[in-house]
Amino acid sequence: MNEELTGRLRAAAEAHRPDRARILARVERGMSGAPAGPRESSGTRPWPGVALASLAAVGILAVGGFAVAAIVQSPPARPDIPATPAAPSAPSAPGTPHPTPSAPTTGSPTARERPSSTSPSPATSGSAGPARPGSAHVQDGPLWSAGSLDAGSNTYWAQSNITLKTTQPLTALTMELRITQTGGVQSTGSWRTLPADDFTVTVQHEGGAVVYRWTLKPGRTVPAGQHVFAGQYNHAAGEREAGHDGYRVDANGPRGALSVWGGFTPTR
């Protein structure tokens, strides 16, 4: 719509003077159903009829005025500026994996305790390596050891205990516990009766077994007496066979290098 047409409509709206008398007469005839005839004098017209007729006339005039005003005041459309649709978001590439956080395993080693690729060296250079299943050497001079399955073990969880006795202080010690992977074996923690700050602890999978290692830190000493080391783990449901599990201890004492090793027996 151009400016000329807008101006004409505005002038026509301003110049328009509706014939209110004719509009009221038509409304009355429409409401009464009577044929067109001479208008009655205002003194004989019933009051309800006058009121309804006045309201109808005012409504018609108001609607007509609003329509003209809307035409005059409506701004012209601007077809030369097309609406720009919102850019759709780029869909994810099919097959793109989404990272899913994994739940931590109860008792699994912390980040500081996770093993490095290199296993710690044994306390003595003349170590014969882990004991073979069924073999045992439980005493070496002042050092004595025994392995046992804790009485609290059940069909889903177990604890293997190593009791170590020494009649002399030890200046170096590496304790190794090997739990054969018989199905579902997963570490749930470990502990020892000696101070935790005196040892570096690692848990890792080696050669079909879960291996716990406690290594005495340099400058620390294991006092004479009885000490206990324990490894805890889940396993497949049922009674687990511990005959292939084992432990080994390499230490240094006043008389030099000491080594003991053995297996585990159930505790009743």
Side-chain angles (χ1 to χ4, degrees):
M1 183 180 295
N2 54 33
E3 294 183 1
E4 181 181 356
L5 179 56
T6 302
R8 290 181 180 180
L9 289 174
R10 183 179 291 108
E14 293 174 353
H16 178 68
R17 296 293 182 270
D19 190 343
R20 299 174 180 270
R22 293 182 62 186
I23 292 174
L24 290 174
R26 289 182 181 180
V27 171
E28 288 184 24
R29 287 196 301 271
M31 294 178 61
S32 63
R39 292 182 56 195
E40 297 179 3
S41 63
S42 58
T44 60
R45 185 179 298 128
W47 170 249
V50 173
L52 292 174
S54 300
L55 290 174
V58 172
I60 292 173
L61 292 174
V63 172
F66 289 154
V68 173
I71 294 174
V72 173
Q73 296 178 4
S74 299
R78 302 183 63 184
D80 56 327
I81 305 178
T84 303
S89 58
S92 302
T96 302
H98 297 279
T100 303
S102 57
T105 304
T106 304
S108 59
T110 62
R112 290 178 298 176
E113 295 179 347
R114 294 189 184 279
S116 60
S117 57
T118 305
S119 302
S121 302
T124 59
S125 58
S127 172
R132 293 186 299 273
S135 64
H137 179 67
V138 299
Q139 186 170 0
D140 187 358
L143 193 64
W144 176 90
S145 64
S148 61
L149 189 63
D150 192 86
S153 302
N154 54 50
T155 56
Y156 301 97
W157 177 90
Q159 175 177 299
S160 295
N161 302 327
I162 305 167
T163 301
L164 187 67
K165 295 180 182 179
T166 179
T167 58
Q168 298 177 356
L170 304 175
T171 56
L173 174 69
T174 296
M175 169 76 71
E176 182 180 286
L177 166 63
R178 301 180 71 88
I179 304 299
T180 302
Q181 182 58 260
T182 55
V185 175
Q186 181 68 40
S187 172
T188 61
S190 65
W191 56 270
R192 85 269 88 226
T193 55
L194 291 165
D197 291 341
D198 288 356
F199 289 85
T200 298
V201 184
T202 62
V203 182
Q204 58 188 352
H205 293 265
E206 292 182 2
V210 177
V211 181
Y212 301 75
R213 284 193 183 92
W214 296 265
T215 303
L216 186 67
K217 294 179 180 178
R220 310 297 173 90
T221 301
V222 175
Q226 178 173 305
H227 314 290
V228 178
F229 296 77
Q232 301 170 330
Y233 47 91
N234 290 330
H235 58 78
E239 184 175 355
R240 181 179 175 276
E241 175 56 55
H244 293 285
D245 300 341
Y247 70 89
R248 181 182 179 91
V249 183
D250 293 301
N252 281 336
R255 54 163 284 184
L258 304 169
S259 295
V260 291
W261 60 86
F264 294 88
T265 57
T267 300
R268 303 298 182 187

